[in-house]
Amino acid sequence: MIANLCHALVDAPIDLDVLLIKARGPYVDRLPDSANIISLRARHSLTSVWEVSRYLKQERPDALLAIKHRGILAALRAKQLARTDTPISGRIGTTVSAALANKSSRRRQRWYTAMRKHYPKLEQLIAVSQGVADDMLAITGMSESRVTVVRNPTITPDMLAAATESADHPWLSADSTVPVIMGVGRLTEQKDFATLIAAFARVRLQREARLIILGDGGLRSEMISQATTLGVEAHIALPGFQNNPWAWMSRASVFVLSSRWEGSPNTLTEAMALGIPVVSTDCPSGPRELLDGGRVAPLVEMGDSEVLASTLLSVLAEPPPSEMLTKAVSAYHQDVSAAAYLQTLGLSV
C-alpha cells in the first residue's frame, strides 16, 4: 500500500523522501525511482530516532507521515529532539484492539498507554477504515477532528494490467469447468484459513469445487493436516507467495476473506476491483464498510464454517453482477486515495 501511495504522490507531483528501516522485502523494489529513497542505518524504529531527528533538522520537510505504531512513536520523539515544527501525521492499518486481543494484558497496556500519551501530539492520525478510526478514538481519547479515514490506494493501473497475465496453474486454465474458491494472505491465525478449509470440505459434499490459498506462513503444515483429515487434500492447492496474485484471483469463481480481524482488507478490495464474486467474514474492521453491511456481497459470522459453506454454495450458484462490486471500491483507486492523503497532510496542489 505504501509503494502504491508513493507512486501516486510523486505523480502529484511533490518531492518525496522515503525513510526506510530494514530496507528489504518483496515490495521495496516497487518504490518509485523518482522518489528519494533513504535507507537508514537503524534496524529498528526505536533506534532510528537520531537519524530521523537529523533528517528533520537538515531537510525541514513540509510534512512527515509515519507508518505503524513504532514508526509513529519514533517520529514524534525525533521531532522533539530536532526542535522543528514539521507536522507529524501517522497511519494505522489494522484494528489494534483485535490484533492485541490474544496478547498478554501487560503488552496491551503498554501499547494503549503509549498511544494515549503520544498520539494526541500528531497533526493527524490516518485510519484505513472507519472501524480502525473508531478503535483509535476509543483507545487514545483523541478528538474526532484529529482522526481521519483515508482509504488504501489498493487499486492501481499496474494491478489491473497484471490481472490479465496468465496464471500458471492447471485449475485456472480457460477450459477448466470446475469452480475455484480462492483465499489470499499470510498463513496465520488472523486469516483463519482453518475455517475456510472446513467450509470447503462442506461445499465438496454437495458439488465439485477446488480451493487455492495463496501465501506463506507458519500454519502451512497444520492446514495440510486439516485438509488430509477432512479428505479434501487432493482438491486444495497451497502454491505459496505469488508476485502476481491478481492473475490468479481474476480467474477464481469466488474469493473468500475468512479473517478474524483486519484494518482494511486489501485482498478483498482487489478481488472486488477485478469483478470477482466475494464472501467475507464480518470481522473488525473494513469488510462491513466495503460490502455496505452485506448489500454488495455476503457477510458471515467469523469462525462459522457451516454458514460460510452454505453462503459459498449460494454465490457459486448465483454470482452477483461484477459492476456492483467494482463500483463499491471506487474510493480505493490509487489516485483517489493519494488526493485524500495530500489533503489530510496539508499538501494539496
Side-chain angles (χ1 to χ4, degrees):
M1 290 304 101
I2 302 306
N4 289 350
L5 176 61
C6 288
H7 276 280
L9 291 178
V10 296
D11 289 341
I14 64 169
D15 294 327
L16 178 66
D17 295 339
V18 182
L19 280 65
L20 295 180
I21 301 169
K22 292 190 294 189
R24 63 174 184 262
Y27 300 107
V28 172
D29 290 342
R30 298 188 187 182
L31 292 168
D33 294 335
S34 53
N36 180 28
I37 308 299
I38 302 172
S39 294
L40 303 179
R41 295 189 186 92
R43 291 296 175 261
H44 191 280
S45 300
L46 294 180
T47 59
S48 73
V49 170
W50 289 106
E51 287 179 90
V52 177
S53 175
R54 186 169 62 249
Y55 166 83
L56 291 173
K57 281 183 180 180
Q58 293 175 350
E59 302 299 331
R60 295 189 175 270
D62 295 307
L64 186 145
L65 176 63
I67 308 302
K68 304 177 79 169
H69 175 62
R70 292 186 180 92
I72 292 171
L73 298 183
L76 289 170
R77 178 59 176 153
K79 178 181 177 178
Q80 183 182 25
L81 290 174
R83 298 182 180 178
T84 60
D85 57 1
T86 298
I88 308 294
S89 294
R91 174 189 180 272
I92 291 292
T94 193
T95 307
V96 172
S97 63
L100 294 177
N102 293 328
K103 307 300 182 182
S104 69
S105 59
R106 183 176 179 181
R107 183 175 181 183
R108 284 197 305 273
Q109 190 59 40
R110 186 168 66 247
W111 273 58
Y112 291 171
T113 299
M115 287 177 162
R116 284 192 290 268
K117 180 179 179 180
H118 297 292
Y119 280 29
K121 303 172 189 175
L122 292 168
E123 189 76 12
Q124 285 286 320
L125 178 60
I126 295 174
V128 298
S129 69
Q130 187 59 52
V132 171
D134 292 341
D135 193 49
M136 286 293 95
L137 289 168
I139 292 172
T140 66
M142 293 175 68
S143 166
E144 290 188 13
S145 64
R146 304 280 294 285
V147 180
T148 303
V149 175
V150 179
R151 305 302 180 184
N152 272 338
T154 309
I155 306 164
T156 70
D158 287 346
M159 185 211 90
L160 297 174
T164 66
E165 297 177 6
S166 61
D168 187 20
H169 197 282
W171 293 356
L172 301 174
S173 63
D175 57 355
S176 177
T177 58
V178 180
V180 172
I181 299 166
M182 188 167 294
V184 179
R186 290 171 289 114
L187 310 185
T188 62
E189 175 191 3
Q190 176 191 358
K191 303 302 180 181
D192 194 16
F193 288 127
T195 293
L196 175 55
I197 292 171
F200 173 71
R202 291 177 178 272
V203 168
R204 284 278 308 173
L205 295 175
Q206 299 193 43
R207 65 169 297 166
E208 191 174 10
R210 291 164 173 157
L211 173 63
I212 296 176
I213 299 175
L214 304 181
D216 289 322
L219 296 183
R220 182 184 182 87
S221 60
E222 287 88 338
M223 291 165 59
I224 293 173
S225 296
Q226 180 189 11
T228 302
T229 299
L230 294 173
V232 293
E233 70 278 9
H235 310 286
I236 294 179
L238 302 174
F241 176 86
Q242 300 296 318
N243 284 320
N244 183 3
W246 311 292
W248 296 64
M249 293 165 66
S250 67
R251 291 162 174 80
S253 304
V254 59
F255 175 87
V256 181
L257 184 87
S258 53
S259 297
R260 291 191 173 274
W261 74 86
E262 292 284 346
S264 178
N266 296 317
T267 54
L268 180 63
T269 307
E270 291 164 347
M272 294 170 67
L274 297 173
I276 306 306
V278 299
V279 175
S280 175
T281 53
D282 190 11
C283 70
S285 59
R288 177 162 287 273
E289 296 171 46
L290 273 167
L291 303 181
D292 193 15
R295 183 189 65 82
V296 175
L299 287 165
V300 300
E301 186 176 347
M302 294 179 292
D304 193 330
S305 62
E306 184 175 357
V307 173
L308 179 55
S310 63
T311 305
L312 283 170
L313 288 166
S314 297
V315 172
L316 287 170
E318 191 175 350
S322 60
E323 295 82 5
M324 182 169 63
L325 297 167
T326 56
K327 183 178 179 180
V329 293
S330 59
Y332 296 80
H333 281 263
Q334 183 182 44
D335 55 344
V336 177
S337 174
Y341 267 96
L342 289 172
Q343 182 177 7
T344 303
L345 297 174
L347 300 174
S348 295
V349 293

